[in-house]
């Protein structure tokens, strides 16, 4: 029997995931209808103004994703999601009223689109971070693919509906549908009986929490490689979404309905591609999908640069949908599989900043290039960037996930101290002394370099390993943590099963019968932290 994780549709067996998926489909359809309405209102203006719709939608993620990730890691993620949905409902209602009152100028339209993007930025990290709560770990890849199917199914339906509705009744009704579409997700979230989760130890400030997320990502090579692959793909990929309205109107002579059908072709290709993704993953692997997806996308842009046939353009957009869903689901699953729960939303926020930021920053550049050298030059430039991204997979492939287990591991014992430090006491110097077996010193130092990344990911500000000059088998590891609460977080809420495996690998290289000697030292530069009266057993009592 085929295991559940092997099925592309297995995550839909989860009732909450299924209900959210359906509600999200309705909401995404409304979003695409709204995008078509907004872009078509501006299509008579300059190319740069049309591409600013993409920037207005994506720029808020660049600005707000990291604070949103902190909120999603520190507070109830369901509450964050509900607040985001209600905020977007309010903005979409204002947009609808302005459209019906014929008071929607281009600057106001872009401002309201920007505010809708702020709601998306608030929602994004929390939405991604709850996915592992809804499905099994081995279904994350399938869940990510279904998320991409959802977006692209909406892209297949929404633009066509939006274009037809704009042509028949005006943009106001498109904006009205989008406003109502936020209610479905809100209702499902309110009905979800989400288990209470353990909150982080200590009280981080916003900046400290952002720094903790940045520190984790910087010292997680696998996550950094996912971000690099995103940086290499998105600028060229964004050319399609930024320039397609201009291709439809200027190159192909289509109206809003025809533009919607072109977007629908991308969505149809993505939905069809979802059936092929499990086979493609087995045949090509993650890196093969990234290379092939970038090359297919490049070919699509090249066809759009030269064709004047709507049917040929639509045919070229079908494989672009397959490429888009393949690349995005691969990158999305890769980053989720590498992030532990305590920092998942912040790590995903960095991914969203790179993903959406690449689109927001390059969209006006594509518009300027289309206004200057021409639309064909802009499309061919995007194709060239994507071909370079495809070739670079051989040089910078995604790292494998074998041996990565982000499950929480509370395996450190409580520190044996003679007094109780305050949460803000610090910095704290943690020192471990090891007696390494003869002949294992080189292997030990190699292993400790891996352990250094674990220490830094979970809170260490500095780290060092030192060998005794008089006793070469004696090594001392020192690392500094900002506060006692940060170190307690290391003990109880930040270490993973992968961290434990690395520690155990290092300890197997120690001399038989020995274990590390651990010391916790506190800053005493301004005087003693505590004075201790030792009893005859060697324990102590703290004195002020």
């Amino acid at each position: 029997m085929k295991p559940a994780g092997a099925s592309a549709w297995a995550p839909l067996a989860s009732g909450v995931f299924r209900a959210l998926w359906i509600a999200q489909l309705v909401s995404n359809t409304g979003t695409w209808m709204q995008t078509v309405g907004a872009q078509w209102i501006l299509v008579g203006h300059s190319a740069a103004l049309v591409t600013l719709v993409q920037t207005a939608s994506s720029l808020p993620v660049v600005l707000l994703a990291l604070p949103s990730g902190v909120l999603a890691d520190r507070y109830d993620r369901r509450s964050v999601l509900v607040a985001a949905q209600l905020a977007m409902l309010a903005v979409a209602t204002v947009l609808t009223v302005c459209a019906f009152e014929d008071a929607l100028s281009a600057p106001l339209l872009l401002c309201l689109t920007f505010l809708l993007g702020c709601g998306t930025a608030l929602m994004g990290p929390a939405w991604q971070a709850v996915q592992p709560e809804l499905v099994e770990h081995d279904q994350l890849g399938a869940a990510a693919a279904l998320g991409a199917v959802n977006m692209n199914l909406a892209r297949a339906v929404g633009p066509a509906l939006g274009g037809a509705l704009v042509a028949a009744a005006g943009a106001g009704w498109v904006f009205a549908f989008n406003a109502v579409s936020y209610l479905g997700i809100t209702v499902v979230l309110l009905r979800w009986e989400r288990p209470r989760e353990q909150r982080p130890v200590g009280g981080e400030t916003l900046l400290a929490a952002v720094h903790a997320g940045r520190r984790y990502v910087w010292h997680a090579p696998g996550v950094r490689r996912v971000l690099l692959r995103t940086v290499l793909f998105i600028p060229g990929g964004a050319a399609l979404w930024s320039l397609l309205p201009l291709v439809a109107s200027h190159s192909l002579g289509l109206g809003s309905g025809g533009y919607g059908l072109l977007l629908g072709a991308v969505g149809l290709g993505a939905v069809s591609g979802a059936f092929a993704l499990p086979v493609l993953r087995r045949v090509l692997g993650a890196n093969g999908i990234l290379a092939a997806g970038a090359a297919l996308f490049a070919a699509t842009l090249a066809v759009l640069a030269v064709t004047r046939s709507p049917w040929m353009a639509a045919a070229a957009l079908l494989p672009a949908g397959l490429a888009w869903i393949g690349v995005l689901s691969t990158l999305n699953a890769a980053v989720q599989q590498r992030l532990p729960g305590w920092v998942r939303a912040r790590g995903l926020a960095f991914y969203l900043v790179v993903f959406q930021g690449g689109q927001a920053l390059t969209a006006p550049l594509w518009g300027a290039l289309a206004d200057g050298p021409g639309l064909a030059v802009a499309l061919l430039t995007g194709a060239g960037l994507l071909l370079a991204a495809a070739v670079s997979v051989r040089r910078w492939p995604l790292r494998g996930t074998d041996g990565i287990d982000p499950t929480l591991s509370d395996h450190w014992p409580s520190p044996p101290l003679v007094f109780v430090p305050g949460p803000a006491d610090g910095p704290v110097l943690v020192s471990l002394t090891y007696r390494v077996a003869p002949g294992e010193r080189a292997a030990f130092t190699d292993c400790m370099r891996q352990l250094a990344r674990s220490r830094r990911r979970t809170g260490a500000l500095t780290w060092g390993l030192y060998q005794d000059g008089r006793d070469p088998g004696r090594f001392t590891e020192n690392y500094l943590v900002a506060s006692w609460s940060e170190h307690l977080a290391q003990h109880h809420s930040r270490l993973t099963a992968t961290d434990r495996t690395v520690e155990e690998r290092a300890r197997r290289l120690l001399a038989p019968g020995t274990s590390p000697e651990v010391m916790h030292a506190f800053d005493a530069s301004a005087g003693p932290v505590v004075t201790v009266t030792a009893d005859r057993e060697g324990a102590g009592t703290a004195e002020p």
Side-chain angles (χ1 to χ4, degrees):
M1 181 180 296
K2 181 166 58 176
S7 169
W9 312 102
L12 292 175
S14 165
V16 178
F17 182 91
R18 183 172 61 251
L20 281 174
W21 192 90
I22 294 170
Q24 187 191 24
L25 177 61
V26 176
S27 182
N28 284 338
T29 300
T31 298
W32 276 107
M33 292 173 69
Q34 191 269 342
T35 299
V36 169
Q39 287 182 322
W40 210 255
I41 286 176
L42 299 175
V43 83
H45 298 74
S46 69
L49 192 60
V50 175
T51 58
L52 281 179
V53 173
Q54 181 73 50
T55 300
S57 300
S58 302
L59 186 59
V61 178
V62 180
L63 302 176
L64 300 176
L66 296 181
S68 299
V70 172
L71 291 175
D73 277 334
R74 293 184 57 80
Y75 300 101
D76 179 65
R77 288 168 182 162
R78 182 181 66 169
S79 299
V80 173
L81 290 170
V82 170
Q85 293 296 310
L86 293 177
M88 288 189 286
L89 170 61
V91 174
T93 300
V94 172
L95 180 59
T96 301
V97 171
C98 290
F100 280 128
E101 293 295 324
D102 200 22
L104 196 60
S105 63
L108 180 59
L109 174 59
L110 291 174
C111 286
L112 292 173
T113 302
F114 179 85
L115 291 177
L116 284 174
C118 290
T120 301
L122 177 62
M123 176 182 173
W127 183 269
Q128 298 282 359
V130 299
Q131 300 305 305
E133 301 178 34
L134 305 177
V135 300
E136 299 296 330
H137 183 74
D138 64 349
Q139 294 177 359
L140 283 175
L146 283 172
V149 166
N150 192 302
M151 176 59 75
N152 285 283
L153 186 58
R155 182 183 285 124
V157 176
L161 291 177
L165 196 54
V166 168
W173 290 102
V174 169
F175 300 147
F177 181 91
N178 185 45
V180 173
S181 72
Y182 293 117
L183 292 174
I185 294 180
T186 304
V187 170
V188 175
L189 287 170
L190 291 174
R191 291 174 58 86
W192 175 25
E193 297 179 0
R194 183 173 183 254
R196 294 181 62 87
E197 59 182 343
Q198 181 182 355
R199 304 315 311 168
V201 177
E204 290 176 307
T205 65
L206 174 64
L207 289 179
V210 171
H211 177 66
R214 182 208 61 79
R215 183 179 59 220
Y216 187 94
V217 169
W218 182 255
H219 294 289
V223 177
R224 290 206 317 269
R225 182 57 57 84
V226 175
L227 298 183
L228 174 61
R229 294 300 338 156
T230 307
V231 166
L232 293 172
F233 176 77
I234 287 301
L240 178 65
W241 312 120
S242 301
L243 300 174
L244 193 57
L246 303 175
V247 171
S249 61
H250 297 174
S251 299
L252 304 178
L254 300 176
S256 61
Y259 170 52
L261 290 174
L262 291 181
L263 283 174
V266 181
L268 183 60
V271 174
S272 303
F275 292 93
L277 271 181
V279 176
L280 291 175
R281 285 196 188 98
R282 287 194 297 269
V283 175
L284 299 177
N287 290 302
I289 288 177
L290 293 180
L296 269 177
F297 225 74
T300 297
L301 291 180
V303 171
L304 294 178
V306 299
T307 187
R308 297 295 178 267
S309 167
W311 295 111
M312 183 175 291
L317 289 168
L318 289 171
L322 169 60
W324 186 258
I325 189 177
V327 172
L328 261 62
S329 64
T330 298
L331 294 173
N332 196 307
V335 73
Q336 289 205 37
Q337 289 169 346
R338 289 166 167 82
L339 292 170
W342 71 271
V343 74
R344 183 179 297 131
R346 278 168 282 182
L348 286 163
F350 277 93
Y351 168 70
L352 290 174
V353 164
V354 173
F355 178 79
Q356 296 285 4
Q359 297 186 72
L361 295 177
T362 58
L365 298 180
W366 294 125
L369 199 59
D371 272 338
L375 182 57
V377 171
L379 289 165
L380 291 174
T381 302
L385 291 177
L386 286 165
L387 285 177
V391 172
S392 71
V393 171
R394 185 177 181 86
R395 175 66 179 85
W396 297 300
L398 285 182
R399 300 171 185 266
T401 57
D402 292 341
I404 294 179
D405 184 355
T407 307
L408 175 67
S409 179
D410 188 1
H411 62 276
W412 282 4
S414 296
L417 303 181
V418 297
F419 77 110
V420 180
D425 286 350
V428 181
L429 175 66
V430 184
S431 182
L432 297 92
T433 301
Y434 304 89
R435 173 69 59 181
V436 180
E440 300 288 2
R441 293 168 191 169
F444 178 77
T445 56
D446 286 343
C447 192
M448 292 300 289
R449 279 193 288 272
Q450 298 179 45
L451 188 59
R453 288 197 289 267
S454 168
R455 306 292 199 220
R456 293 180 184 274
R457 282 195 301 266
T458 55
L461 302 175
T462 62
W463 182 91
L465 181 67
Y466 306 89
Q467 186 176 17
D468 193 326
R470 246 179 26 170
D471 184 357
R474 187 171 180 266
F475 289 78
T476 299
E477 176 195 11
N478 290 334
Y479 62 92
L480 194 68
V481 186
S483 66
W484 184 242
S485 64
E486 277 281 291
H487 187 54
L488 287 182
Q490 283 185 309
H491 269 263
H492 302 301
S493 62
R494 293 185 178 176
L495 294 174
T496 66
T498 301
D499 298 321
R500 181 172 187 168
T501 299
V502 175
E503 290 178 15
E504 291 173 346
R505 192 180 305 135
R507 295 192 181 199
R508 284 197 292 269
L509 302 173
L510 302 184
T514 66
S515 58
E517 298 176 12
V518 184
M519 178 189 73
H520 297 81
F522 296 79
D523 182 17
S525 58
V529 179
V530 64
T531 58
V532 177
T533 302
D535 63 20
R536 62 184 180 181
E537 297 298 324
T541 55
E543 297 178 353

